[in-house]
Amino acid sequence: MNTRLRTTMIQCGLSYEGLAAECGVIPKSVQRWITQERIPHQRHRWIVTQVLGVEETYLWPSLRHQGAVDTMNTELIQTYANRASVPREVWLSLLADAMERIDVLVFSGTFYAQTNPRIAAMLTERADSGTCVRLCFGDPDGTAVARRGQEEGIGDTLGAKVRASMTYYRPLVARPGCEVRLHDTTLYSSLFRYDDNLLVNPHVWGQPASANPVLHLRRCGSEGWFDNYASSFEAVWETANPWSPTSGA
């Protein structure tokens, strides 16, 4: 079964009939693409990739030239000009669908809660379902947050934003499967991982993270962008200190 095509259709809210209508084929054809792993004609592939917003080599890896290593192209699902350009539905669906892990690495992550008032409840629901939830924020008293605030020209404001953001996650600390830590490292990218989906928000010097692009990656192998960023999360996580509401942050 072509699980990549099926999963992407589900995330986009498309049925067999819906995608068939877009491509001008019968629903049975779409079913064959999935259940029998048949590769559509080129004109239909082009429509599918436009409708689903993914590269055709992600949906049909065999289209790559034999012997060519093109993991990067198959991992990059979508790019956004800035963080506000990422549809709210993308954030919500990725979080709601995560089954194994949710990893977040930010300085303050203020937007994460402000754009989704139910963020703590949703994370709790995922943890109660067996999903490992790890949230890593900047230490408001650390040198990295202070330096970042100076670079952005906002002084001590970033530290205050971290403290304000942390109030949303107080209920999570006592929940099994949830852990919150504070890091004091230079953050080159904010990371939001949901199983094999990863939203990467690179940082440009002197600019707030919200003004910078977002890359949507989907893991395809063990030597691509996805694993490089995932490894960086693990490295920061190992140096971060556990946080609790009574720690004063």
Side-chain angles (χ1 to χ4, degrees), residues 65-82:
H65 295 299
Q66 291 295 324
V69 179
D70 196 18
T71 305
M72 307 307 181
N73 288 338
T74 60
E75 285 193 322
L76 184 59
I77 303 303
Q78 185 62 277
T79 59
Y80 301 93
N82 50 59

Side-chain angles (χ1 to χ4, degrees), residues 52-93:
L52 300 182
V54 297
E55 296 285 343
E56 69 171 15
T57 48
Y58 171 77
L59 298 175
W60 301 285
S62 62
L63 292 175
R64 288 179 288 169
H65 295 299
Q66 291 295 324
V69 179
D70 196 18
T71 305
M72 307 307 181
N73 288 338
T74 60
E75 285 193 322
L76 184 59
I77 303 303
Q78 185 62 277
T79 59
Y80 301 93
N82 50 59
R83 205 168 58 200
S85 299
V86 183
R88 186 168 182 268
E89 292 73 20
V90 171
W91 295 103
L92 294 178
S93 63

Side-chain angles (χ1 to χ4, degrees), residues 178-198:
C178 295
E179 189 173 359
V180 182
R181 294 186 183 183
L182 301 179
H183 70 85
D184 189 20
T185 60
T186 300
L187 198 59
Y188 299 102
S189 298
S190 298
L191 304 177
F192 307 87
R193 179 179 180 178
Y194 308 93
D195 292 342
D196 285 343
N197 286 278
L198 178 65

Side-chain angles (χ1 to χ4, degrees), residues 122-133 172 175-178:
M122 291 184 70
L123 290 172
T124 299
E125 290 168 3
R126 298 318 312 141
D128 289 345
S129 298
T131 304
C132 175
V133 177
L172 296 178
R175 306 293 301 196
C178 295

Side-chain angles (χ1 to χ4, degrees), residues 139-215:
D139 185 341
D141 297 316
T143 57
V145 166
R147 185 182 304 112
R148 179 71 181 185
Q150 293 172 359
E151 293 170 352
E152 291 187 19
I154 59 175
D156 297 333
T157 303
L158 183 57
K161 289 173 64 177
V162 174
R163 291 187 175 88
S165 182
M166 300 300 290
T167 61
Y168 292 97
Y169 305 102
R170 291 175 180 270
L172 296 178
V173 176
R175 306 293 301 196
C178 295
E179 189 173 359
V180 182
R181 294 186 183 183
L182 301 179
H183 70 85
D184 189 20
T185 60
T186 300
L187 198 59
Y188 299 102
S189 298
S190 298
L191 304 177
F192 307 87
R193 179 179 180 178
Y194 308 93
D195 292 342
D196 285 343
N197 286 278
L198 178 65
L199 296 177
V200 180
N201 182 196
H203 294 186
V204 174
W205 190 93
Q207 296 182 11
S210 59
N212 302 156
V214 173
L215 311 178

Side-chain angles (χ1 to χ4, degrees), residues 85-127:
S85 299
V86 183
R88 186 168 182 268
E89 292 73 20
V90 171
W91 295 103
L92 294 178
S93 63
L94 290 177
L95 193 158
D97 293 342
M99 301 298 293
E100 296 181 2
R101 67 174 62 246
I102 295 174
D103 294 334
V104 175
L105 175 61
V106 292
F107 269 135
S108 69
T110 308
F111 85 98
Y112 200 53
Q114 290 181 342
T115 58
N116 180 13
R118 291 196 67 252
I119 185 65
M122 291 184 70
L123 290 172
T124 299
E125 290 168 3
R126 298 318 312 141

